[in-house]
């Protein structure tokens, strides 16, 4: 019986050699901030969070190597082992990366290399995983998507301009993306042959393999439309909007011990903690050892729209524990109805609770979170992407939470404060039941599953993100799965988590 071969070690090479001239910038475009962080940092985080990637090597525009190193250090990107100066051309930069990767191997050893453009920050984990899986079977892989446009071949005739000479069959045309993946030995051999060609030119690495190692098949991994390259001025705007709409998964902790280790001794203040998601965040965090102050109108008399109440709550938590690490706001009101039929009091309540309160919570929390380099966690709704009839106040204030999150993540980045926003699908909470009545439970998320995703976000290094929580999400964390489907005889982390929830429920009933 043969055993499965051990997968090759995978090294991601992030190519950040652009200068930003085509966008009209004075700095390289990979240093431009989108959603609160430089594009480069977003891209590096993709590989940092990729289970299939073991190491990251960054090739940076020579004049900005120190800037890149500061980003890596500030973002605590542990997989980035080297930040090197890139070459004057793409192919020269690739050669530097090949030698750097080879230097870390023993004689006869091989590894996988994934070459990725730094200005493609929306790369999905699915694409990374499929590239690595393909490299266990093939020596070279490319990422591509079908062309939605008709591509034409032209020729220039003097002063008369361009004329079509050919219209290729669109069904066979693909738009290339990155990463491009290779066995190190393969891409190294291709570049060695290219070095002997006085007419060598290349703008990507797969073309080098196709030309100089024609016997090596290049396998295609299907890419994503989101995996765009920020090249032109309009791309900056599009990428920013895509980040606002993109789904991000919070990295789960390794197990019960990790949750306890990170939450023990920490202070969490939860506004809207009387019931629903806020109450579940409070109970679960407390079960893992955090000191939690769950505040709500019906339990502690805390009105989030009252600035004095917010200031008193935070000051009280700080006075009692000497620190505040996490501030969470789940408070909100949902009033359904036509705007022209809505009275002034209802409008004022929606604006005060759904918008003004988070603003006041944020500005009051700043001094506490800057001490601990903690996190502010806000909540939006799936209606933030498009205003819906009879949801005008709710949709617009929830859209404001996304913009507030990204603006504060940018403002507070230098202070080490992280700001994120959770976007749950329809969730079984008292607020929703009050607005819509009883709905089929199978169609709704449980508030516990949203609470556990919220904890994963709070314990992550993410900032400026909107994190979606979806029913039967294929990227669901082990913690979510444990809550949504606890086995009859749970073991390990699932058993511990089930125990925490059971104890919390018992305490609540008492």
């Amino acid at each position: 019986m043969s055993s499965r071969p051990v997968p090759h070690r995978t090294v991601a090479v992030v190519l950040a050699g652009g200068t930003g001239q085509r966008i009209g910038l004075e700095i390289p475009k990979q240093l431009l901030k989108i959603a609160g962080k430089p594009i480069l940092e977003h891209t590096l985080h993709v590989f940092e969070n990729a289970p299939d990637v073991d190491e990251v090597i960054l090739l940076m525009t020579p004049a900005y190597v120190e800037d890149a190193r500061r980003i890596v250090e500030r973002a605590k990107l542990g997989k980035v082992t080297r930040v090197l100066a890139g070459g004057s051309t793409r192919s020269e930069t690739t050669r530097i990366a090949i030698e750097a990767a080879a230097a870390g191997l023993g004689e006869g050893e091989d590894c996988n290399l994934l070459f990725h453009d730094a200005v493609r920050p929306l790369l999905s984990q699915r694409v990374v995983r499929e590239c690595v899986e393909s490299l266990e079977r093939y020596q070279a892989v490319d990422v591509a998507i079908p062309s939605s446009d008709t591509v034409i071949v032209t020729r220039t005739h003097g002063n008369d301009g361009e004329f079509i000479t050919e219209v290729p069959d669109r069904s066979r045309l693909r738009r290339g993306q990155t990463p491009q993946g290779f066995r190190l030995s393969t891409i190294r051999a291709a570049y060695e042959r290219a070095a002997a060609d006085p007419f060598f030119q290349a703008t990507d690495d797969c073309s080098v393999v196709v030309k100089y190692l024609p016997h090596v098949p290049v396998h295609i991994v299907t890419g994503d439309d989101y995996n765009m390259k920020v090249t032109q001025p309009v791309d900056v705007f599009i990428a920013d909007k895509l980040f606002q709409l993109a789904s991000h998964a919070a990295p789960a902790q390794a197990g019960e011990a990790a949750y306890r280790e990170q939450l023990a001794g920490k202070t969490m203040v939860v506004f809207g903690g009387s019931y629903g998601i806020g109450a579940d965040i409070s109970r679960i965090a407390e079960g893992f050892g955090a000191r939690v102050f769950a505040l709500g109108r019906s339990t502690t008399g805390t009105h989030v729209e009252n600035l004095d109440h917010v200031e008193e709550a935070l000051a009280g938590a700080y006075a009692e524990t000497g620190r505040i690490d996490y501030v969470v706001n789940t408070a909100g009101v949902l009033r359904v109805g036509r705007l022209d039929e809505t009275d002034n009091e209802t409008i004022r309540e929606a604006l005060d609770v759904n918008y003004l309160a988070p603003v006041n919570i944020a500005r009051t929390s700043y001094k506490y979170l800057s001490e601990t380099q903690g996190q502010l966690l806000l909540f939006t709704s799936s209606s933030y992407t498009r205003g819906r009839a009879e949801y005008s106040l709710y949709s617009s204030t929830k859209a404001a939470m996304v913009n507030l999150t990204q603006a504060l993540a940018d403002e507070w980045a230098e202070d080490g404060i992280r700001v994120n926003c959770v976007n749950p699908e329809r969730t079984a909470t008292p607020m929703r039941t009050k607005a819509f009545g009883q709905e089929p439970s199978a169609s709704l998320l449980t508030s516990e599953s949203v609470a556990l995703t919220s904890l994963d976000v709070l314990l992550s290094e993410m900032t400026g993100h909107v994190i979606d929580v979806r029913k039967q999400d294929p990227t669901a964390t082990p913690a979510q799965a444990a809550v949504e489907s606890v086995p009859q005889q749970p073991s390990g982390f699932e058993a511990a988590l089930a125990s925490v929830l059971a104890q919390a429920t018992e305490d609540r009933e008492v």
Side-chain angles (χ1 to χ4, degrees), residues 297 305 333 335 344-355:
R297 182 176 300 186
E305 68 273 26
V333 293
R335 303 287 184 258
N344 290 339
E345 184 178 349
T346 300
I347 292 173
R348 187 176 300 109
E349 179 192 38
L351 295 176
D352 285 350
V353 175
N354 292 348
Y355 182 71

Side-chain angles (χ1 to χ4, degrees), residues 262-274:
Q262 294 201 62
L263 286 169
K266 299 294 178 64
T267 299
M268 180 182 300
V269 178
V270 181
F271 292 97
S274 296

Side-chain angles (χ1 to χ4, degrees), residues 141-186:
V141 299
D142 199 357
V143 174
I145 59 175
S147 175
S148 58
D149 296 317
T150 297
V151 177
I152 60 176
V153 179
T154 67
R155 178 176 296 172
T156 301
H157 290 273
N159 295 327
D160 294 330
E162 290 184 296
F163 295 84
I164 294 176
T165 60
E166 184 182 356
V167 182
D169 179 5
R170 191 174 69 184
S171 66
R172 297 183 59 199
L173 297 177
R174 300 291 182 269
R175 291 160 50 202
Q177 298 181 338
T178 63
Q180 294 184 332
F182 311 91
R183 298 278 178 83
L184 171 61
S185 55
T186 300

Side-chain angles (χ1 to χ4, degrees), residues 256 490-498:
E256 178 198 356
S491 61
F493 175 52
E494 287 81 2
L497 183 56

Side-chain angles (χ1 to χ4, degrees), residues 247-477:
S247 169
H248 298 275
Q253 302 305 303
E256 178 198 356
Y259 285 90
R260 292 191 183 280
E261 180 182 351
Q262 294 201 62
L263 286 169
K266 299 294 178 64
T267 299
M268 180 182 300
V269 178
V270 181
F271 292 97
S274 296
Y275 55 81
I277 296 169
D280 287 325
I281 291 174
S282 301
R283 287 195 300 274
I284 297 169
E286 200 164 41
F288 282 129
R291 183 69 187 276
V292 181
F293 294 81
L295 307 161
R297 182 176 300 186
S298 61
T299 52
T300 62
T302 304
H303 293 244
V304 292
E305 68 273 26
N306 187 314
L307 179 59
D308 290 339
H309 286 197
V310 172
E311 291 176 339
E312 289 169 10
L314 290 168
Y318 186 80
E320 194 167 331
T321 66
R323 62 186 298 139
I324 295 178
D325 302 275
Y326 310 109
V327 176
V328 180
N329 179 48
T330 65
V333 293
L334 172 57
R335 303 287 184 258
V336 179
R338 290 174 57 93
L339 183 62
D340 57 280
E341 297 173 357
T342 304
D343 58 58
N344 290 339
E345 184 178 349
T346 300
I347 292 173
R348 187 176 300 109
E349 179 192 38
L351 295 176
D352 285 350
V353 175
N354 292 348
Y355 182 71
L356 185 60
V359 168
N360 284 334
I361 289 170
R363 66 189 182 117
T364 308
S365 300
Y366 171 81
K367 64 180 179 180
Y368 303 109
L369 295 176
S370 61
E371 281 189 13
T372 58
Q373 296 196 323
Q375 183 175 161
L376 171 67
L377 186 64
L378 303 175
F379 278 74
T380 185
S381 158
S382 57
S383 65
Y384 84 88
T385 60
R386 178 177 60 86
R388 298 175 185 173
E390 301 191 354
Y391 278 77
S392 57
L393 290 172
Y394 189 71
S395 297
S396 56
T397 53
K398 289 303 178 181
M401 289 305 97
V402 174
N403 283 279
L404 180 63
T405 294
Q406 294 178 333
L408 291 179
D410 197 354
E411 279 184 34
W412 295 352
E414 295 299 321
D415 302 301
I417 302 175
R418 288 158 290 131
V419 186
N420 289 295
C421 190
V422 171
N423 174 33
E425 281 189 328
R426 299 181 308 155
T427 307
T429 63
M431 182 179 74
R432 183 171 183 88
T433 301
K434 183 178 180 180
F436 299 105
Q438 292 296 328
E439 300 172 281
S441 59
S443 68
L444 302 175
L445 284 164
T446 65
S447 59
E448 289 94 344
S449 64
V450 179
L452 282 160
T453 292
S454 302
L455 282 184
D456 286 335
V457 176
L458 288 169
L459 298 180
S460 76
E461 295 300 321
M462 301 172 73
T463 189
H465 286 301
V466 178
I467 298 90
D468 288 356
V469 189
R470 295 174 176 158
K471 188 75 174 170
Q472 298 178 339
D473 192 336
T475 63
T477 68

Side-chain angles (χ1 to χ4, degrees), residues 63-191:
Y64 293 89
V65 169
E66 289 306 315
D67 297 79
R69 286 179 177 149
R70 281 192 290 271
I71 288 173
V72 170
E73 182 179 356
R74 186 187 69 241
K76 300 177 182 177
L77 296 165
K79 287 186 181 179
V80 180
T81 58
R82 280 163 287 183
V83 180
L84 307 174
S88 58
T89 64
R90 169 66 180 265
S91 56
E92 185 180 337
T93 300
T94 297
R95 285 194 177 99
I96 294 171
I98 290 171
E99 294 311 311
L105 298 177
E107 186 175 353
E109 285 187 297
D110 208 349
C111 69
N112 297 329
L113 292 184
L114 297 181
F115 292 92
H116 185 66
D117 298 325
V119 287
R120 291 186 187 270
L122 287 156
L123 173 66
S124 71
Q125 294 294 339
R126 191 269 305 169
V127 170
V128 176
R129 182 180 66 253
E130 291 186 11
C131 285
V132 174
E133 289 173 351
S134 295
L135 284 173
E136 292 308 308
R137 183 177 179 184
Y138 304 99
Q139 298 179 53
V141 299
D142 199 357
V143 174
I145 59 175
S147 175
S148 58
D149 296 317
T150 297
V151 177
I152 60 176
V153 179
T154 67
R155 178 176 296 172
T156 301
H157 290 273
N159 295 327
D160 294 330
E162 290 184 296
F163 295 84
I164 294 176
T165 60
E166 184 182 356
V167 182
D169 179 5
R170 191 174 69 184
S171 66
R172 297 183 59 199
L173 297 177
R174 300 291 182 269
R175 291 160 50 202
Q177 298 181 338
T178 63
Q180 294 184 332
F182 311 91
R183 298 278 178 83
L184 171 61
S185 55
T186 300
I187 191 66
R188 194 176 194 180
Y191 269 91

